[in-house]
């Protein structure tokens, strides 16, 4: 039951910071946290959240907070520029690249599916059971979930095979599926490419997907929640070539811009497409301004009481500048390459693909192990790494193989946190005999490999 009487602040805070609330679970801000995809959470950004909560204003309607709406618009345009969606000066203001801030990437991907569905399915009066969209088998599951919530049958979400070496979508297989579905009377309406998969940091062939989308007349969306802002770096711009051609892009500032959790964005090439999909008004709503530079964000998304999420992005960017974020992302690319090279030098380690971004996927690979034995060995190895609490890594499964993934995206993580040379010195003797003697994973064997890897 809720307490009937209040308590002193000191007592309340003692519960919050006691052993049962904040001291349990993942410490995503720690330098050794390299699991999942976590940016660490800039404390300067939290100040923006504090200001937003204290002033208690909303930005769903321009007239409610013109200054904050302008700030929000600036942030959205900065994000568009960061991923290459630059405004076309020849286009009308309402047709230029723009977007909306969301609670995260899952909501951004959901709104992308809704926008594509409204434009290419609803307006053509296509039955939802005949509408199809296309992802790779490595695409984040929130895209399929967004399709489900948008009324598309899950059976109509086509998951295309990937190249086993690069984990990128097989464009030829996708073309075949699109053609076959059209011949069977389905209406393809969306192709989703990924700029940085969660599992391995893989990047789809985005120019080829744009070409296919044009060929079949479908919406081209890029899920760039993890990888999109690496485009701020020279290596990222090269590896993410083609992202700027997308009809829509989902990004997560709380990943690759290091913001605290709770802010994503859907960016679109043409603002009008977003308003066409989302606009609905009522008699009690303020009259919408016809001035193209005045934005009512409730017309671009599902929320009316839109909290000023832009403050938590605007403040750190104003304080540090975008170049600081680019340098930090460059460092994360370096860390992934450094770990990859270090693992290549160790016995019985397999790196499944050279990192394109900041994820490294690897496993123990001992001669003579069956798939089941190898998977068990790697499960125990990961448990030993995490049990020491110097680092936290997370697992995934690729082609039936249990693998370990390290994702370097915390702004507090630097090279000295990856390999403790002094600790691991003297631990690097050959483990070949132990490997031969052990046909199944043992804590002792995996513990020695933990020491050798310096994890």
């Amino acid at each position: 039951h809720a307490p009937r009487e209040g308590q002193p602040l000191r007592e309340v805070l003692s519960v919050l910071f006691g052993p049962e609330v904040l001291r349990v679970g993942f410490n995503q801000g720690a330098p050794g946290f390299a699991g999942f995809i976590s940016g660490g959470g800039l404390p300067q950004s939290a100040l923006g959240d504090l200001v937003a909560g204290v002033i208690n204003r909303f930005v769903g309607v321009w007239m409610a907070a013109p200054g904050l709406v302008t700030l929000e618009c600036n942030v959205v345009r900065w994000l568009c520029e960061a991923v290459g969606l630059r405004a076309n000066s020849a286009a009308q203001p309402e047709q230029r690249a723009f977007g909306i801030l969301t609670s995260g990437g899952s909501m951004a991907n959901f709104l992308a599916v809704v926008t594509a569905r409204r434009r290419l399915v609803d307006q053509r009066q296509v039955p939802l059971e005949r509408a199809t969209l296309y992802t790779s088998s490595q695409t984040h599951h929130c895209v399929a979930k967004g399709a489900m919530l948008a009324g598309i049958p899950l059976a109509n979400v086509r998951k295309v095979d990937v190249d086993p070496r690069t984990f990128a979508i097989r464009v030829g297989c996708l073309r075949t599926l699109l053609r076959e579905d059209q011949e069977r009377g389905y209406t393809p309406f969306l192709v989703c490419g990924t700029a940085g998969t969660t599992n391995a940091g893989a990047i789809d062939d985005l120019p080829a997907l744009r070409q296919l989308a044009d060929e079949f007349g479908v919406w081209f969306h890029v899920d760039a929640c993890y990888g999109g802002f690496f485009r701020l770096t020279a290596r990222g711009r090269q590896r993410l070539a083609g992202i700027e051609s997308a009809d829509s892009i989902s990004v997560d500032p709380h990943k690759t811009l290091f913001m605290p959790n709770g802010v994503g964005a859907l960016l679109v090439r043409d603002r009008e497409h977003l308003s066409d999909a989302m606009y609905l008004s009522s008699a009690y709503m303020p009259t919408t301004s016809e001035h193209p530079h005045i934005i009512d964000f409730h017309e671009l998304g599902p929320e009316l009481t839109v909290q000023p999420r832009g403050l938590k992005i605007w403040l750190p960017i104003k304080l540090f500048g975008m170049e600081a974020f680019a340098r930090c992302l460059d460092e994360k690319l370096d860390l992934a390459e450094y770990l990859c090279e270090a693992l290549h030098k160790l016995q019985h380690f397999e790196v499944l693909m050279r990192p394109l971004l900041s994820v490294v996927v690897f496993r123990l690979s001992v001669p003579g192990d069956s798939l089941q034995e190898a998977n068990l060995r790697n499960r125990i190895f990961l448990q030993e790494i995490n049990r020491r609490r110097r680092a936290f890594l997370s697992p995934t499964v690729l082609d039936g193989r249990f693998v370990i993934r390290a994702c370097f995206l915390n702004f507090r993580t630097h090279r000295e946190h990856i390999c403790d040379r002094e600790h691991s010195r003297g631990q690097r003797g050959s483990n070949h005999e132990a490997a031969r003697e052990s046909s199944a994973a043992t804590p002792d064997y995996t513990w020695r490999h933990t020491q050798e890897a310096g994890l």
Side-chain angles (χ1 to χ4, degrees):
H1 300 289
R4 295 180 62 86
E5 303 293 338
Q7 295 175 275
L9 178 61
R10 183 181 296 274
E11 292 182 15
V12 175
L13 292 180
S14 69
V15 174
L16 183 60
F17 291 95
E20 296 181 355
V21 182
L22 295 180
R23 294 185 184 178
V24 294
F26 299 140
N27 183 6
Q28 294 174 261
F33 189 92
F36 310 112
I37 301 177
S38 177
L42 285 167
Q44 293 84 355
S45 180
L47 179 58
D49 259 347
L50 176 63
V51 172
V54 171
I55 63 176
N56 197 34
R57 305 282 287 277
F58 74 100
V59 295
V61 178
W62 169 276
M63 65 180 297
L68 284 175
V69 172
T70 300
L71 184 151
E72 197 98 351
C73 290
N74 288 340
V75 168
V76 170
R77 293 188 184 103
W78 295 346
L79 301 186
C80 286
E81 291 175 2
V83 296
L85 280 181
R86 298 189 181 275
N88 179 2
S89 57
Q92 296 298 316
E94 63 272 17
Q95 295 176 323
R96 295 177 185 172
F98 200 62
I100 187 168
L101 300 181
T102 66
S103 59
S106 294
M107 182 57 70
N109 280 322
F110 168 59
L111 295 182
V113 174
V114 171
T115 302
R117 193 206 74 184
R118 291 280 291 162
R119 185 162 186 81
L120 298 176
V121 177
D122 297 359
Q123 291 184 13
R124 298 176 181 177
Q125 298 183 330
V126 175
L128 292 181
E129 62 270 17
R130 305 304 294 175
T132 53
L133 70 153
Y134 304 80
T135 73
S136 86
S137 60
Q138 294 294 303
T139 302
H140 197 283
H141 77 281
C142 72
V143 176
K145 187 174 185 178
M148 176 184 72
L149 294 175
I152 307 298
L154 279 177
N156 290 15
V157 179
R158 311 293 197 229
K159 295 185 179 181
V160 185
D161 290 339
V162 297
D163 186 312
R165 297 164 301 171
T166 64
F167 301 104
I169 193 169
R170 289 182 178 271
V171 176
C173 294
L174 173 58
R175 174 179 275 107
T176 299
L177 271 176
L178 285 162
R179 186 183 303 114
E180 289 177 350
D181 277 342
Q182 282 188 336
E183 291 172 352
R184 292 191 298 160
Y186 287 96
T187 300
F189 75 96
L190 183 148
V191 165
C192 178
T194 303
T197 61
T198 300
N199 276 342
I203 301 172
D204 290 331
D205 186 341
L206 303 179
L209 295 183
R210 173 74 269 176
Q211 185 177 353
L212 266 187
D214 291 339
E215 180 182 338
F216 286 89
V218 302
W219 185 275
F220 177 37
H221 174 66
V222 175
D223 177 3
C225 288
Y226 163 43
F229 293 121
F230 279 102
R231 195 181 177 281
L232 293 170
T233 71
R235 284 173 286 181
R237 281 190 293 277
Q238 180 182 13
R239 295 168 189 177
L240 296 170
I243 190 174
E244 69 281 353
S245 69
D247 295 305
S248 60
I249 304 172
S250 53
V251 291
D252 251 351
H254 68 216
K255 291 186 174 71
T256 30
L257 287 184
F258 317 112
M259 306 298 170
N261 293 330
V263 60
L266 174 64
L267 310 174
V268 292
R269 170 170 303 283
D270 186 334
R271 188 180 96 196
E272 211 168 45
H273 293 166
L274 200 54
S275 59
D276 286 347
M278 304 290 170
Y279 176 74
L280 193 64
S281 192
S282 184
Y284 50 77
M285 293 297 298
T287 303
T288 301
S289 171
E290 295 184 1
H291 195 290
H293 293 288
I294 292 181
I295 304 292
D296 288 324
F297 275 105
H298 77 90
E299 296 181 359
L300 305 180
E303 297 175 287
L304 175 56
T305 310
V306 181
Q307 66 184 89
R309 295 186 176 97
L311 271 174
K312 68 195 300 179
I313 304 174
W314 179 85
L315 190 58
I317 291 179
K318 292 290 284 187
L319 287 172
F320 303 126
M322 291 300 281
E323 279 302 313
F325 292 91
R327 289 192 297 270
C328 195
L329 289 171
D330 245 332
E331 182 196 27
K332 304 316 162 195
L333 295 175
D334 291 340
L335 294 182
E337 292 180 5
Y338 173 73
L339 178 61
C340 179
E341 292 299 328
L343 290 170
H344 275 307
K345 296 175 183 177
L346 298 175
Q347 282 192 326
H348 308 304
F349 277 89
E350 174 190 5
V351 179
L352 275 71
M353 64 172 278
R354 188 161 198 90
L356 293 176
L357 299 175
S358 64
V359 170
V360 182
V361 283
F362 64 96
R363 69 200 301 261
L364 283 170
S365 183
V366 179
D369 271 0
S370 66
L371 178 62
Q372 182 178 7
E373 289 169 339
N375 285 349
L376 177 59
R377 186 186 302 279
N378 280 277
R379 286 182 186 276
I380 296 175
F381 181 42
L382 178 60
Q383 289 171 3
E384 290 296 329
I385 292 172
N386 291 341
R387 187 172 68 85
R388 297 176 66 191
R389 299 192 178 187
R390 293 183 61 245
F392 180 87
L393 309 183
S394 56
T396 191
V397 176
L398 293 169
D399 289 335
R401 295 170 293 179
F402 182 95
V403 300
I404 301 166
R405 56 184 298 284
C407 178
F408 301 114
L409 207 61
N410 190 332
F411 67 92
R412 299 181 180 92
T413 304
H414 307 293
R415 181 163 168 166
E416 61 265 26
H417 299 115
I418 296 180
C419 187
D420 185 344
R421 292 174 179 267
E422 293 301 321
H423 182 75
S424 59
R425 187 173 295 164
Q427 303 286 341
R428 302 202 175 192
S430 172
N431 288 292
H432 186 61
E433 291 186 7
R436 285 190 304 177
E437 294 171 0
S438 176
S439 61
T442 65
D444 178 61
Y445 179 65
T446 53
W447 175 257
R448 282 196 289 271
H449 273 80
T450 306
Q451 300 281 348
E452 183 177 350
L455 294 169

